[in-house]
Each structure stands twice: as structure tokens, then as C-alpha cells.
mmCIF file of all heavy atoms in Angstrom:
data_model
loop_
_atom_site.group_PDB
_atom_site.id
_atom_site.type_symbol
_atom_site.label_atom_id
_atom_site.label_comp_id
_atom_site.label_asym_id
_atom_site.label_seq_id
_atom_site.Cartn_x
_atom_site.Cartn_y
_atom_site.Cartn_z
ATOM 1 N N ARG A 162 -80.198 1.793 183.589
ATOM 2 C CA ARG A 162 -81.472 2.414 183.339
ATOM 3 C C ARG A 162 -81.637 2.659 181.818
ATOM 4 O O ARG A 162 -80.817 3.355 181.232
ATOM 5 C CB ARG A 162 -81.522 3.754 184.115
ATOM 6 C CG ARG A 162 -81.494 3.621 185.565
ATOM 7 C CD ARG A 162 -81.453 5.021 186.236
ATOM 8 N NE ARG A 162 -81.857 4.983 187.632
ATOM 9 C CZ ARG A 162 -82.272 6.007 188.333
ATOM 10 N NH1 ARG A 162 -82.282 7.232 187.709
ATOM 11 N NH2 ARG A 162 -82.576 5.912 189.587
ATOM 12 N N ILE A 163 -82.657 2.094 181.276
ATOM 13 C CA ILE A 163 -82.878 2.291 179.832
ATOM 14 C C ILE A 163 -84.261 2.826 179.583
ATOM 15 O O ILE A 163 -85.299 2.286 180.075
ATOM 16 C CB ILE A 163 -82.699 0.932 179.060
ATOM 17 C CG1 ILE A 163 -81.285 0.393 179.402
ATOM 18 C CG2 ILE A 163 -82.880 1.194 177.577
ATOM 19 C CD1 ILE A 163 -80.814 -0.695 178.509
ATOM 20 N N LEU A 164 -84.320 3.913 178.844
ATOM 21 C CA LEU A 164 -85.552 4.544 178.469
ATOM 22 C C LEU A 164 -85.902 4.185 176.997
ATOM 23 O O LEU A 164 -85.035 4.461 176.147
ATOM 24 C CB LEU A 164 -85.405 6.112 178.574
ATOM 25 C CG LEU A 164 -86.484 7.005 178.039
ATOM 26 C CD1 LEU A 164 -87.800 6.767 178.733
ATOM 27 C CD2 LEU A 164 -86.042 8.418 178.092
ATOM 28 N N TYR A 165 -87.020 3.558 176.774
ATOM 29 C CA TYR A 165 -87.438 3.176 175.431
ATOM 30 C C TYR A 165 -88.490 4.165 174.993
ATOM 31 O O TYR A 165 -89.523 4.351 175.745
ATOM 32 C CB TYR A 165 -87.978 1.763 175.417
ATOM 33 C CG TYR A 165 -86.915 0.711 175.540
ATOM 34 C CD1 TYR A 165 -86.535 0.215 176.800
ATOM 35 C CD2 TYR A 165 -86.221 0.247 174.415
ATOM 36 C CE1 TYR A 165 -85.499 -0.735 176.918
ATOM 37 C CE2 TYR A 165 -85.204 -0.726 174.533
ATOM 38 C CZ TYR A 165 -84.800 -1.173 175.784
ATOM 39 O OH TYR A 165 -83.837 -2.083 175.915
ATOM 40 N N VAL A 166 -88.237 4.799 173.907
ATOM 41 C CA VAL A 166 -89.190 5.837 173.353
ATOM 42 C C VAL A 166 -89.613 5.307 172.005
ATOM 43 O O VAL A 166 -88.801 5.159 171.078
ATOM 44 C CB VAL A 166 -88.493 7.168 173.255
ATOM 45 C CG1 VAL A 166 -89.534 8.238 172.732
ATOM 46 C CG2 VAL A 166 -87.885 7.591 174.521
ATOM 47 N N SER A 167 -90.873 4.999 171.865
ATOM 48 C CA SER A 167 -91.315 4.313 170.614
ATOM 49 C C SER A 167 -92.624 4.874 170.125
ATOM 50 O O SER A 167 -93.519 5.306 170.836
ATOM 51 C CB SER A 167 -91.479 2.830 170.934
ATOM 52 O OG SER A 167 -91.851 2.163 169.764
ATOM 53 N N SER A 168 -92.784 4.828 168.806
ATOM 54 C CA SER A 168 -94.025 5.246 168.191
ATOM 55 C C SER A 168 -95.123 4.209 168.366
ATOM 56 O O SER A 168 -96.303 4.538 168.238
ATOM 57 C CB SER A 168 -93.872 5.578 166.741
ATOM 58 O OG SER A 168 -93.316 4.459 166.028
ATOM 59 N N GLU A 169 -94.718 2.979 168.697
ATOM 60 C CA GLU A 169 -95.725 1.919 168.853
ATOM 61 C C GLU A 169 -95.201 0.811 169.690
ATOM 62 O O GLU A 169 -94.018 0.471 169.607
ATOM 63 C CB GLU A 169 -96.262 1.419 167.511
ATOM 64 C CG GLU A 169 -95.165 1.083 166.495
ATOM 65 C CD GLU A 169 -95.719 0.827 165.075
ATOM 66 O OE1 GLU A 169 -96.091 -0.335 164.849
ATOM 67 O OE2 GLU A 169 -95.646 1.757 164.272
ATOM 68 N N VAL A 170 -96.052 0.154 170.470
ATOM 69 C CA VAL A 170 -95.656 -0.918 171.375
ATOM 70 C C VAL A 170 -96.741 -1.929 171.440
ATOM 71 O O VAL A 170 -97.930 -1.546 171.616
ATOM 72 C CB VAL A 170 -95.323 -0.384 172.841
ATOM 73 C CG1 VAL A 170 -94.855 -1.499 173.705
ATOM 74 C CG2 VAL A 170 -94.319 0.756 172.766
ATOM 75 N N VAL A 171 -96.482 -3.272 171.319
ATOM 76 C CA VAL A 171 -97.533 -4.226 171.637
ATOM 77 C C VAL A 171 -97.494 -4.379 173.191
ATOM 78 O O VAL A 171 -96.487 -4.195 173.792
ATOM 79 C CB VAL A 171 -97.227 -5.608 170.968
ATOM 80 C CG1 VAL A 171 -97.400 -5.580 169.526
ATOM 81 C CG2 VAL A 171 -95.890 -6.214 171.313
ATOM 82 N N PRO A 172 -98.635 -4.618 173.798
ATOM 83 C CA PRO A 172 -99.930 -5.071 173.226
ATOM 84 C C PRO A 172 -100.947 -3.919 172.953
ATOM 85 O O PRO A 172 -102.103 -4.187 172.623
ATOM 86 C CB PRO A 172 -100.501 -5.947 174.361
ATOM 87 C CG PRO A 172 -99.999 -5.235 175.653
ATOM 88 C CD PRO A 172 -98.688 -4.713 175.251
ATOM 89 N N TYR A 173 -100.485 -2.671 172.978
ATOM 90 C CA TYR A 173 -101.433 -1.549 172.836
ATOM 91 C C TYR A 173 -101.777 -1.282 171.416
ATOM 92 O O TYR A 173 -102.787 -0.718 171.123
ATOM 93 C CB TYR A 173 -100.755 -0.319 173.530
ATOM 94 C CG TYR A 173 -100.422 -0.628 174.886
ATOM 95 C CD1 TYR A 173 -99.089 -0.786 175.310
ATOM 96 C CD2 TYR A 173 -101.391 -0.739 175.910
ATOM 97 C CE1 TYR A 173 -98.775 -1.081 176.591
ATOM 98 C CE2 TYR A 173 -101.115 -1.071 177.226
ATOM 99 C CZ TYR A 173 -99.751 -1.239 177.538
ATOM 100 O OH TYR A 173 -99.460 -1.545 178.849
ATOM 101 N N LEU A 174 -100.888 -1.668 170.461
ATOM 102 C CA LEU A 174 -101.138 -1.522 169.050
ATOM 103 C C LEU A 174 -100.881 -2.810 168.331
ATOM 104 O O LEU A 174 -100.115 -3.655 168.867
ATOM 105 C CB LEU A 174 -100.301 -0.408 168.486
ATOM 106 C CG LEU A 174 -100.663 1.045 168.886
ATOM 107 C CD1 LEU A 174 -99.652 2.052 168.399
ATOM 108 C CD2 LEU A 174 -102.032 1.408 168.350
ATOM 109 N N PRO A 175 -101.323 -3.016 167.084
ATOM 110 C CA PRO A 175 -101.053 -4.342 166.445
ATOM 111 C C PRO A 175 -99.556 -4.560 166.260
ATOM 112 O O PRO A 175 -98.688 -3.735 166.283
ATOM 113 C CB PRO A 175 -101.746 -4.059 165.007
ATOM 114 C CG PRO A 175 -102.763 -3.035 165.296
ATOM 115 C CD PRO A 175 -102.216 -2.184 166.358
ATOM 116 N N GLU A 176 -99.278 -5.873 165.992
ATOM 117 C CA GLU A 176 -97.880 -6.307 165.856
ATOM 118 C C GLU A 176 -97.232 -5.856 164.565
ATOM 119 O O GLU A 176 -97.773 -6.129 163.469
ATOM 120 C CB GLU A 176 -97.854 -7.808 165.966
ATOM 121 C CG GLU A 176 -96.588 -8.309 166.598
ATOM 122 C CD GLU A 176 -96.668 -9.792 167.030
ATOM 123 O OE1 GLU A 176 -97.494 -10.115 167.893
ATOM 124 O OE2 GLU A 176 -95.956 -10.610 166.432
ATOM 125 N N THR A 177 -96.148 -5.084 164.720
ATOM 126 C CA THR A 177 -95.310 -4.829 163.586
ATOM 127 C C THR A 177 -93.874 -4.971 164.045
ATOM 128 O O THR A 177 -93.605 -5.303 165.261
ATOM 129 C CB THR A 177 -95.452 -3.247 163.199
ATOM 130 O OG1 THR A 177 -94.991 -2.487 164.310
ATOM 131 C CG2 THR A 177 -96.881 -2.944 162.871
ATOM 132 N N GLU A 178 -92.865 -4.799 163.156
ATOM 133 C CA GLU A 178 -91.484 -4.927 163.628
ATOM 134 C C GLU A 178 -91.193 -3.983 164.741
ATOM 135 O O GLU A 178 -90.540 -4.315 165.730
ATOM 136 C CB GLU A 178 -90.509 -4.590 162.423
ATOM 137 C CG GLU A 178 -90.154 -5.800 161.604
ATOM 138 C CD GLU A 178 -89.085 -5.497 160.530
ATOM 139 O OE1 GLU A 178 -89.075 -4.330 160.034
ATOM 140 O OE2 GLU A 178 -88.453 -6.441 160.194
ATOM 141 N N ILE A 179 -91.657 -2.704 164.568
ATOM 142 C CA ILE A 179 -91.401 -1.723 165.616
ATOM 143 C C ILE A 179 -92.108 -2.006 166.903
ATOM 144 O O ILE A 179 -91.460 -2.009 167.978
ATOM 145 C CB ILE A 179 -91.777 -0.314 165.119
ATOM 146 C CG1 ILE A 179 -90.902 0.107 163.936
ATOM 147 C CG2 ILE A 179 -91.614 0.780 166.248
ATOM 148 C CD1 ILE A 179 -91.319 1.438 163.265
ATOM 149 N N SER A 180 -93.407 -2.283 166.846
ATOM 150 C CA SER A 180 -94.148 -2.505 168.100
ATOM 151 C C SER A 180 -93.661 -3.753 168.812
ATOM 152 O O SER A 180 -93.701 -3.826 170.061
ATOM 153 C CB SER A 180 -95.654 -2.614 167.828
ATOM 154 O OG SER A 180 -95.991 -3.755 167.043
ATOM 155 N N SER A 181 -93.264 -4.842 168.069
ATOM 156 C CA SER A 181 -92.742 -6.069 168.715
ATOM 157 C C SER A 181 -91.432 -5.785 169.394
ATOM 158 O O SER A 181 -91.217 -6.193 170.561
ATOM 159 C CB SER A 181 -92.579 -7.186 167.655
ATOM 160 O OG SER A 181 -93.881 -7.454 167.128
ATOM 161 N N MET A 182 -90.453 -5.139 168.670
ATOM 162 C CA MET A 182 -89.180 -4.944 169.307
ATOM 163 C C MET A 182 -89.229 -3.923 170.429
ATOM 164 O O MET A 182 -88.441 -3.966 171.392
ATOM 165 C CB MET A 182 -88.173 -4.414 168.250
ATOM 166 C CG MET A 182 -87.652 -5.519 167.301
ATOM 167 S SD MET A 182 -87.034 -7.041 168.151
ATOM 168 C CE MET A 182 -85.624 -6.340 169.010
ATOM 169 N N SER A 183 -90.220 -3.025 170.404
ATOM 170 C CA SER A 183 -90.393 -2.062 171.451
ATOM 171 C C SER A 183 -90.976 -2.729 172.720
ATOM 172 O O SER A 183 -90.980 -2.071 173.788
ATOM 173 C CB SER A 183 -91.298 -0.885 170.988
ATOM 174 O OG SER A 183 -90.739 -0.261 169.919
ATOM 175 N N PHE A 184 -91.356 -3.945 172.548
ATOM 176 C CA PHE A 184 -91.796 -4.789 173.731
ATOM 177 C C PHE A 184 -90.738 -5.761 174.086
ATOM 178 O O PHE A 184 -90.348 -5.908 175.317
ATOM 179 C CB PHE A 184 -93.086 -5.417 173.404
ATOM 180 C CG PHE A 184 -93.432 -6.540 174.395
ATOM 181 C CD1 PHE A 184 -93.865 -6.287 175.705
ATOM 182 C CD2 PHE A 184 -93.365 -7.878 174.015
ATOM 183 C CE1 PHE A 184 -94.183 -7.273 176.591
ATOM 184 C CE2 PHE A 184 -93.676 -8.892 174.845
ATOM 185 C CZ PHE A 184 -94.074 -8.595 176.199
ATOM 186 N N GLU A 185 -90.174 -6.426 173.086
ATOM 187 C CA GLU A 185 -89.178 -7.512 173.380
ATOM 188 C C GLU A 185 -87.908 -7.009 174.025
ATOM 189 O O GLU A 185 -87.315 -7.631 174.916
ATOM 190 C CB GLU A 185 -88.891 -8.310 172.083
ATOM 191 C CG GLU A 185 -90.026 -9.094 171.467
ATOM 192 C CD GLU A 185 -90.503 -10.209 172.420
ATOM 193 O OE1 GLU A 185 -89.844 -10.568 173.340
ATOM 194 O OE2 GLU A 185 -91.667 -10.764 172.181
ATOM 195 N N ALA A 186 -87.338 -5.875 173.479
ATOM 196 C CA ALA A 186 -86.103 -5.367 174.025
ATOM 197 C C ALA A 186 -86.235 -4.900 175.505
ATOM 198 O O ALA A 186 -85.385 -5.361 176.356
ATOM 199 C CB ALA A 186 -85.574 -4.210 173.132
ATOM 200 N N PRO A 187 -87.224 -4.160 175.837
ATOM 201 C CA PRO A 187 -87.405 -3.835 177.288
ATOM 202 C C PRO A 187 -87.634 -5.090 178.161
ATOM 203 O O PRO A 187 -87.131 -5.193 179.267
ATOM 204 C CB PRO A 187 -88.673 -2.953 177.336
ATOM 205 C CG PRO A 187 -88.804 -2.405 175.963
ATOM 206 C CD PRO A 187 -88.226 -3.432 174.989
ATOM 207 N N ARG A 188 -88.406 -6.036 177.636
ATOM 208 C CA ARG A 188 -88.658 -7.265 178.435
ATOM 209 C C ARG A 188 -87.336 -7.991 178.668
ATOM 210 O O ARG A 188 -87.138 -8.465 179.816
ATOM 211 C CB ARG A 188 -89.603 -8.177 177.664
ATOM 212 C CG ARG A 188 -89.882 -9.467 178.449
ATOM 213 C CD ARG A 188 -91.059 -10.217 177.945
ATOM 214 N NE ARG A 188 -90.826 -10.865 176.655
ATOM 215 C CZ ARG A 188 -91.619 -11.808 176.197
ATOM 216 N NH1 ARG A 188 -92.680 -12.217 176.905
ATOM 217 N NH2 ARG A 188 -91.378 -12.351 175.060
ATOM 218 N N MET A 189 -86.435 -8.063 177.639
ATOM 219 C CA MET A 189 -85.156 -8.674 177.860
ATOM 220 C C MET A 189 -84.342 -7.951 178.936
ATOM 221 O O MET A 189 -83.777 -8.605 179.812
ATOM 222 C CB MET A 189 -84.398 -8.594 176.493
ATOM 223 C CG MET A 189 -82.943 -9.016 176.562
ATOM 224 S SD MET A 189 -82.041 -8.429 175.177
ATOM 225 C CE MET A 189 -81.649 -6.702 175.627
ATOM 226 N N VAL A 190 -84.251 -6.647 178.896
ATOM 227 C CA VAL A 190 -83.513 -5.865 179.876
ATOM 228 C C VAL A 190 -84.123 -6.013 181.261
ATOM 229 O O VAL A 190 -83.392 -6.169 182.258
ATOM 230 C CB VAL A 190 -83.443 -4.354 179.435
ATOM 231 C CG1 VAL A 190 -82.724 -3.532 180.564
ATOM 232 C CG2 VAL A 190 -82.664 -4.206 178.129
ATOM 233 N N ASN A 191 -85.413 -6.017 181.306
ATOM 234 C CA ASN A 191 -86.144 -6.221 182.592
ATOM 235 C C ASN A 191 -85.754 -7.567 183.283
ATOM 236 O O ASN A 191 -85.494 -7.643 184.396
ATOM 237 C CB ASN A 191 -87.623 -6.180 182.302
ATOM 238 C CG ASN A 191 -88.452 -5.868 183.585
ATOM 239 O OD1 ASN A 191 -88.022 -5.061 184.395
ATOM 240 N ND2 ASN A 191 -89.569 -6.549 183.655
ATOM 241 N N LYS A 192 -85.654 -8.605 182.369
ATOM 242 C CA LYS A 192 -85.323 -9.950 182.907
ATOM 243 C C LYS A 192 -83.873 -9.961 183.398
ATOM 244 O O LYS A 192 -83.552 -10.763 184.271
ATOM 245 C CB LYS A 192 -85.499 -10.971 181.817
ATOM 246 C CG LYS A 192 -86.978 -11.387 181.616
ATOM 247 C CD LYS A 192 -87.113 -12.440 180.560
ATOM 248 C CE LYS A 192 -88.527 -12.939 180.400
ATOM 249 N NZ LYS A 192 -88.734 -13.672 179.130
ATOM 250 N N GLN A 193 -83.021 -9.115 182.839
ATOM 251 C CA GLN A 193 -81.648 -9.104 183.200
ATOM 252 C C GLN A 193 -81.384 -8.203 184.427
ATOM 253 O O GLN A 193 -80.243 -7.984 184.832
ATOM 254 C CB GLN A 193 -80.761 -8.605 182.056
ATOM 255 C CG GLN A 193 -80.776 -9.523 180.849
ATOM 256 C CD GLN A 193 -79.980 -8.985 179.668
ATOM 257 O OE1 GLN A 193 -79.342 -7.899 179.776
ATOM 258 N NE2 GLN A 193 -80.060 -9.648 178.545
ATOM 259 N N GLY A 194 -82.457 -7.671 185.014
ATOM 260 C CA GLY A 194 -82.273 -6.833 186.221
ATOM 261 C C GLY A 194 -82.079 -5.395 185.922
ATOM 262 O O GLY A 194 -81.779 -4.569 186.848
ATOM 263 N N GLY A 195 -82.280 -4.956 184.720
ATOM 264 C CA GLY A 195 -82.180 -3.542 184.350
ATOM 265 C C GLY A 195 -83.465 -2.802 184.766
ATOM 266 O O GLY A 195 -84.554 -3.444 185.007
ATOM 267 N N GLN A 196 -83.337 -1.485 184.884
ATOM 268 C CA GLN A 196 -84.538 -0.632 185.123
ATOM 269 C C GLN A 196 -84.989 -0.022 183.797
ATOM 270 O O GLN A 196 -84.148 0.534 183.150
ATOM 271 C CB GLN A 196 -84.190 0.484 186.170
ATOM 272 C CG GLN A 196 -83.696 -0.011 187.473
ATOM 273 C CD GLN A 196 -83.325 1.159 188.356
ATOM 274 O OE1 GLN A 196 -84.032 2.228 188.410
ATOM 275 N NE2 GLN A 196 -82.255 1.081 189.031
ATOM 276 N N ILE A 197 -86.269 -0.115 183.536
ATOM 277 C CA ILE A 197 -86.698 0.378 182.273
ATOM 278 C C ILE A 197 -87.956 1.294 182.416
ATOM 279 O O ILE A 197 -88.724 1.126 183.351
ATOM 280 C CB ILE A 197 -86.999 -0.741 181.221
ATOM 281 C CG1 ILE A 197 -88.029 -1.671 181.806
ATOM 282 C CG2 ILE A 197 -85.808 -1.458 180.822
ATOM 283 C CD1 ILE A 197 -88.704 -2.454 180.762
ATOM 284 N N ARG A 198 -88.108 2.188 181.495
ATOM 285 C CA ARG A 198 -89.296 2.974 181.265
ATOM 286 C C ARG A 198 -89.650 2.889 179.772
ATOM 287 O O ARG A 198 -88.689 3.024 178.937
ATOM 288 C CB ARG A 198 -89.125 4.436 181.725
ATOM 289 C CG ARG A 198 -88.756 4.602 183.162
ATOM 290 C CD ARG A 198 -90.028 4.723 184.042
ATOM 291 N NE ARG A 198 -89.693 5.207 185.370
ATOM 292 C CZ ARG A 198 -89.246 4.454 186.343
ATOM 293 N NH1 ARG A 198 -88.945 3.188 186.124
ATOM 294 N NH2 ARG A 198 -88.968 4.976 187.527
ATOM 295 N N ILE A 199 -90.898 2.813 179.451
ATOM 296 C CA ILE A 199 -91.301 2.876 178.023
ATOM 297 C C ILE A 199 -92.240 4.058 177.842
ATOM 298 O O ILE A 199 -93.118 4.272 178.631
ATOM 299 C CB ILE A 199 -92.027 1.557 177.584
ATOM 300 C CG1 ILE A 199 -91.161 0.327 177.829
ATOM 301 C CG2 ILE A 199 -92.398 1.654 176.116
ATOM 302 C CD1 ILE A 199 -91.875 -0.975 177.503
ATOM 303 N N PHE A 200 -92.045 4.800 176.768
ATOM 304 C CA PHE A 200 -92.937 5.961 176.432
ATOM 305 C C PHE A 200 -93.460 5.714 175.034
ATOM 306 O O PHE A 200 -92.698 5.313 174.116
ATOM 307 C CB PHE A 200 -92.182 7.269 176.476
ATOM 308 C CG PHE A 200 -92.083 7.841 177.851
ATOM 309 C CD1 PHE A 200 -91.158 7.342 178.756
ATOM 310 C CD2 PHE A 200 -92.892 8.883 178.268
ATOM 311 C CE1 PHE A 200 -91.053 7.866 180.072
ATOM 312 C CE2 PHE A 200 -92.772 9.399 179.540
ATOM 313 C CZ PHE A 200 -91.875 8.928 180.442
ATOM 314 N N MET A 201 -94.740 5.970 174.830
ATOM 315 C CA MET A 201 -95.320 5.929 173.477
ATOM 316 C C MET A 201 -96.510 6.969 173.433
ATOM 317 O O MET A 201 -96.939 7.439 174.497
ATOM 318 C CB MET A 201 -95.810 4.522 173.164
ATOM 319 C CG MET A 201 -97.040 4.086 173.938
ATOM 320 S SD MET A 201 -97.676 2.457 173.447
ATOM 321 C CE MET A 201 -98.453 2.924 171.849
ATOM 322 N N PRO A 202 -96.947 7.335 172.224
ATOM 323 C CA PRO A 202 -98.153 8.203 172.145
ATOM 324 C C PRO A 202 -99.409 7.531 172.596
ATOM 325 O O PRO A 202 -99.479 6.307 172.315
ATOM 326 C CB PRO A 202 -98.144 8.623 170.680
ATOM 327 C CG PRO A 202 -96.813 8.242 170.126
ATOM 328 C CD PRO A 202 -96.346 7.087 170.881
ATOM 329 N N ARG A 203 -100.334 8.265 173.131
ATOM 330 C CA ARG A 203 -101.660 7.681 173.452
ATOM 331 C C ARG A 203 -102.594 7.932 172.295
ATOM 332 O O ARG A 203 -103.431 8.904 172.357
ATOM 333 C CB ARG A 203 -102.170 8.310 174.775
ATOM 334 C CG ARG A 203 -103.130 7.364 175.527
ATOM 335 C CD ARG A 203 -104.372 7.033 174.834
ATOM 336 N NE ARG A 203 -105.265 8.192 174.742
ATOM 337 C CZ ARG A 203 -106.428 8.144 174.175
ATOM 338 N NH1 ARG A 203 -106.942 7.049 173.636
ATOM 339 N NH2 ARG A 203 -107.206 9.259 173.988
ATOM 340 N N TYR A 204 -102.445 7.157 171.206
ATOM 341 C CA TYR A 204 -103.370 7.296 170.097
ATOM 342 C C TYR A 204 -104.820 7.003 170.489
ATOM 343 O O TYR A 204 -105.034 6.241 171.401
ATOM 344 C CB TYR A 204 -102.964 6.364 168.933
ATOM 345 C CG TYR A 204 -101.538 6.474 168.500
ATOM 346 C CD1 TYR A 204 -100.564 5.545 168.802
ATOM 347 C CD2 TYR A 204 -101.117 7.509 167.714
ATOM 348 C CE1 TYR A 204 -99.246 5.584 168.371
ATOM 349 C CE2 TYR A 204 -99.782 7.638 167.219
ATOM 350 C CZ TYR A 204 -98.828 6.684 167.604
ATOM 351 O OH TYR A 204 -97.579 6.774 167.146
ATOM 352 N N GLY A 205 -105.717 7.586 169.734
ATOM 353 C CA GLY A 205 -107.137 7.421 170.044
ATOM 354 C C GLY A 205 -107.663 6.001 169.794
ATOM 355 O O GLY A 205 -108.741 5.694 170.269
ATOM 356 N N ASN A 206 -106.905 5.199 169.073
ATOM 357 C CA ASN A 206 -107.383 3.810 168.834
ATOM 358 C C ASN A 206 -106.808 2.847 169.864
ATOM 359 O O ASN A 206 -107.030 1.669 169.777
ATOM 360 C CB ASN A 206 -106.986 3.349 167.372
ATOM 361 C CG ASN A 206 -105.534 3.407 167.112
ATOM 362 O OD1 ASN A 206 -104.779 4.087 167.918
ATOM 363 N ND2 ASN A 206 -105.017 2.796 166.102
ATOM 364 N N ILE A 207 -106.197 3.394 170.971
ATOM 365 C CA ILE A 207 -105.835 2.506 172.039
ATOM 366 C C ILE A 207 -107.005 2.424 173.031
ATOM 367 O O ILE A 207 -107.477 3.453 173.453
ATOM 368 C CB ILE A 207 -104.564 3.023 172.792
ATOM 369 C CG1 ILE A 207 -103.328 2.971 171.795
ATOM 370 C CG2 ILE A 207 -104.278 2.278 174.042
ATOM 371 C CD1 ILE A 207 -102.060 3.640 172.280
ATOM 372 N N ASN A 208 -107.367 1.253 173.370
ATOM 373 C CA ASN A 208 -108.530 0.993 174.212
ATOM 374 C C ASN A 208 -108.132 1.267 175.721
ATOM 375 O O ASN A 208 -107.469 0.375 176.315
ATOM 376 C CB ASN A 208 -109.105 -0.354 174.026
ATOM 377 C CG ASN A 208 -110.428 -0.555 174.748
ATOM 378 O OD1 ASN A 208 -110.574 -0.162 175.923
ATOM 379 N ND2 ASN A 208 -111.413 -1.208 174.112
ATOM 380 N N GLU A 209 -108.492 2.384 176.244
ATOM 381 C CA GLU A 209 -108.046 2.761 177.582
ATOM 382 C C GLU A 209 -108.596 1.808 178.662
ATOM 383 O O GLU A 209 -107.921 1.479 179.597
ATOM 384 C CB GLU A 209 -108.409 4.193 177.869
ATOM 385 C CG GLU A 209 -107.647 5.247 177.097
ATOM 386 C CD GLU A 209 -107.568 6.576 177.873
ATOM 387 O OE1 GLU A 209 -107.954 6.671 178.979
ATOM 388 O OE2 GLU A 209 -107.074 7.513 177.132
#
């Protein structure tokens, strides 16, 4: 079980080193059969 806590994640925010790795690392663990949760802030510029 891996909890990812990030200030930014793609595809919800533009691509940066942080937002990309905050997506790629969970995706990798997910593919390996791990259980994951991702948390990020709900900034006002995220299109709900």
C-alpha cells in the first residue's frame, strides 16, 4: 500500500518534474499490483 502525497499531479496540472513523477510512480506501482492512493490540493485552476 503506497500513499502518494503531492503538490501537483498530471493530468490535473501542467507537466513539471513533480507533477509527472507524481503520476508515473503511482502508475508503475499500480501495474505491479500494488494498492495506491494519491492526494493533492484542489487548486482553483483545476477544471472540475
Side-chain angles (χ1 to χ4, degrees):
R162 293 177 165 198
I163 304 194
L164 171 64
Y165 287 92
V166 184
S167 185
S168 56
E169 49 191 274
V170 183
V171 292
Y173 305 104
L174 289 172
E176 210 165 296
T177 64
E178 270 185 332
I179 295 174
S180 66
S181 298
M182 284 311 293
S183 300
F184 166 71
E185 293 295 349
R188 179 165 73 161
M189 169 199 83
V190 173
N191 199 39
K192 281 182 177 164
Q193 295 175 6
Q196 298 177 44
I197 58 160
R198 299 272 192 281
I199 302 174
F200 278 78
M201 70 175 289
R203 207 295 294 179
Y204 304 106
N206 57 346
I207 293 172
N208 187 317
E209 292 205 7

